[in-house]
């Protein structure tokens, strides 16, 4: 499998996971992990569904991947720029490469990841951006909770 094919497959798995999260009424962020063997795990933000503040998409994908002796041969795909929590997990597990769907609705910790040697590529995927824009417009209180921001006017 070429790198380009792996990236297309890995990112599409993340996008499908984001759509699944939206269909469940959750925050529409998806993530997957892939390597030479293809996609090994996918997950989506389940904070609303599980009432778990740490159930972010990247963390869900890592949980689905399970224990591994190393994550250094994997690429993490995510539909939205990773937050501090998820970026910390990426650095902790030494995941060398992250493909991000978009960083316009949330800029995340891309610069921090790059400072720590993680190769980060941002696609500016309109599909991911549209999912987030719709969710933020319809559920600003849940989005603010997800990124630990105070609601406007507080």
């Amino acid at each position: 499998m070429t790198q380009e094919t792996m990236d297309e497959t890995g990112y599409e798995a993340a996008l499908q996971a984001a759509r699944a999260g939206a269909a469940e009424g959750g925050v529409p962020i998806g993530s997957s992990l892939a390597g030479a063997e293809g996609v090994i795990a996918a997950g989506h933000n389940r904070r609303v569904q599980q009432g778990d503040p740490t159930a972010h998409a990247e963390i869900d994908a890592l949980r689905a991947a399970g224990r591994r002796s190393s994550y250094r041969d994997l690429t993490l795909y995510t539909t939205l720029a990773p937050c501090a929590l998820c970026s910390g997990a990426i650095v902790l597990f030494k995941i060398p490469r992250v493909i991000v769907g978009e960083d316009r609705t949330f800029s995340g910790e891309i610069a921090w990841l790059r400072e720590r040697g993680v190769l980060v590529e941002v696609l500016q995927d309109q599909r991911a951006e549209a999912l987030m824009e719709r969710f933020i417009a319809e559920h600003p209180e849940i989005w603010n909770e997800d990124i630990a921001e105070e609601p406007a006017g507080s």
Side-chain angles (χ1 to χ4, degrees):
M1 177 182 306
T2 68
Q3 185 69 55
E4 185 176 331
T5 301
M6 184 179 82
D7 287 346
E8 288 173 10
T9 302
Y11 183 71
E12 286 301 318
L15 189 59
Q16 287 176 0
R19 290 176 176 145
E24 294 172 2
V27 182
I29 304 168
S31 185
S32 73
L33 286 159
E37 66 271 34
V39 175
I40 63 162
H44 58 272
N45 186 303
R46 297 176 190 268
R47 290 184 67 259
V48 172
Q49 300 92 314
Q50 295 179 351
D52 178 354
T54 67
H56 288 209
E58 297 87 343
I59 303 302
D60 195 45
L62 281 162
R63 286 177 181 147
R67 287 181 56 197
R68 296 176 65 91
S69 60
S70 175
Y71 297 82
R72 294 175 189 196
D73 60 339
L74 301 178
T75 297
L76 184 136
Y77 301 87
T78 182
T79 57
L80 186 65
C83 69
L85 170 72
C86 299
S87 294
I90 290 163
V91 169
L92 175 68
F93 293 113
K94 297 178 175 49
I95 297 169
R97 188 166 175 264
V98 177
I99 305 296
V100 175
E102 65 100 356
D103 67 354
R104 291 182 180 135
T105 57
F106 180 72
S107 60
E109 299 295 333
I110 291 173
W112 187 84
L113 286 167
R114 287 178 175 151
E115 288 169 8
R116 278 145 188 82
V118 178
L119 176 64
V120 180
E121 180 181 341
V122 182
L123 305 175
Q124 300 305 8
D125 179 48
Q126 295 293 319
R127 301 167 297 173
E129 192 171 341
L131 277 171
M132 285 307 303
E133 286 177 345
R134 185 173 334 121
F135 183 83
I136 292 167
E138 293 174 0
H139 305 284
E141 71 290 347
I142 295 173
W143 175 241
N144 284 330
E145 177 187 316
D146 196 68
I147 59 172
E149 289 292 331
E150 292 293 325
S154 290

